């Protein structure tokens, strides 16, 4: 009985790393979805499958949180971090389902660029999370979080330029509505990555 109340520090960080790896995998699939339309159904299904795997990791983390008496970092921070990471994949699933729902067979270069920025941000999320087990990595982690912020800012700029071009040049109202939705969802993925970066920076401030 007492053993179940002892710290399980490594397990939490393992779960964070597993989830972050799925964020990268999901972003890779989403980029493939935005650049190749030869196998739309399977690519959409792949993103949905990855999101479900991440949901299970989130559930496992929260369940472990309830069972662990002493946690390696603040309990609320653990909960916020894993649920915010899960939000990243939720938005990717939204993007994939929207492409499928709208029956898109091509997207603009700007949409593909946003997907690339999503992948870059997710890779940095994975990198930051992988270092979180050791507060001696604080400076490295903060620098990585700043890179995530830059990717989010880049995505803002790409989306604004894409929206301007869309409303200026797209004659088909239906296509305009579809691409506007895709731009907004993809940019929101980078917002969710920035949310994770902010949480990680807060953990560093509290623990380093």
């Amino acid at each position: 009985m007492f053993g179940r109340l002892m710290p399980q520090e490594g397990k939490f960080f393992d779960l964070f790393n597993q989830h972050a790896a799925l964020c990268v995998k999901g972003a890779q699939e989403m980029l493939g979805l935005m650049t190749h339309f030869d196998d739309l159904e399977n690519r959409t299904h792949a993103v949905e499958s990855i999101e479900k795997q991440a949901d299970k990791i989130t559930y496992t983390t929260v369940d472990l949180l309830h069972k662990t008496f002493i946690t390696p970092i603040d309990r609320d921070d653990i909960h916020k971090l894993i649920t915010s990471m899960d939000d990243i994949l939720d938005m990717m699933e939204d993007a994939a389902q929207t492409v499928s729902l709208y029956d898109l067979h091509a997207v603009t270069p700007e949409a593909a660029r946003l997907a690339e920025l999503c992948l870059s941000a997710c890779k940095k999320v994975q990198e930051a999370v992988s270092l979180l087990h050791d507060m001696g990595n604080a400076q490295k982690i903060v620098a990585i979080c700043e890179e995530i912020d830059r990717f989010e800012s880049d995505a803002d700029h790409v989306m604004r330029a894409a929206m301007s071009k869309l409303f200026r040049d797209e004659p088909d109202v239906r296509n305009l509505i579809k691409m506007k939705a895709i731009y907004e969802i993809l940019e929101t993925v980078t917002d969710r990555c920035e949310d994770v970066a902010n949480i990680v920076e807060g953990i560093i401030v509290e623990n380093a």
Side-chain angles (χ1 to χ4, degrees), residues 93-140:
E93 183 181 37
D94 283 352
Q97 290 178 343
T98 300
V99 169
S100 178
L101 177 67
Y102 287 169
D103 194 29
L104 293 175
H105 298 287
V107 295
T108 63
E110 291 82 3
R113 176 57 183 151
L114 285 169
E116 289 174 354
L117 288 167
C118 290
L119 176 56
S120 296
C122 285
K123 286 181 176 179
K124 289 301 174 181
V125 165
Q126 183 183 31
E127 192 175 342
V129 168
S130 73
L131 298 173
L132 199 55
H133 68 283
D134 182 357
M135 289 301 149
N137 295 320
Q139 288 187 331
K140 291 180 183 178

Side-chain angles (χ1 to χ4, degrees), residues 2 10 15 19 48-49 59 65 68 73 75 81 90 169 195:
F2 183 70
L15 291 166
H19 200 299
E48 292 171 345
S49 176
Y59 174 82
L65 191 58
T68 305
I73 56 178
R75 305 176 73 84
L81 179 56
D90 286 343
D169 298 340
D195 290 343

Side-chain angles (χ1 to χ4, degrees), residues 134-168:
D134 182 357
M135 289 301 149
N137 295 320
Q139 288 187 331
K140 291 180 183 178
I141 295 171
V142 170
I144 294 166
C145 289
E146 290 173 353
E147 290 185 71
I148 295 170
D149 290 343
R150 284 194 291 273
F151 285 130
E152 190 279 332
S153 180
D154 289 346
D156 277 345
H157 292 310
V158 171
M159 188 186 75
R160 283 196 291 268
M163 288 290 197
S164 176
K165 181 179 178 182
L166 187 65
F167 280 92
R168 185 177 63 249

Side-chain angles (χ1 to χ4, degrees), residues 26 29-30 33 40-55 89-90 92-98 100-101:
E29 290 289 347
M30 190 178 68
L33 186 67
L40 181 59
E41 184 176 347
N42 284 337
R43 291 182 189 278
T44 301
H45 177 73
V47 175
E48 292 171 345
S49 176
I50 292 166
E51 192 277 334
K52 287 181 175 60
Q53 292 175 53
D55 278 345
L89 274 164
D90 286 343
M92 290 184 199
E93 183 181 37
D94 283 352
Q97 290 178 343
T98 300
S100 178
L101 177 67

Side-chain angles (χ1 to χ4, degrees), residues 12 16 65 71 73-82:
F12 283 110
F16 293 154
L65 191 58
T71 56
I73 56 178
D74 184 80
R75 305 176 73 84
D76 188 51
D77 286 337
I78 291 173
H79 188 270
K80 286 192 297 186
L81 179 56
I82 198 66

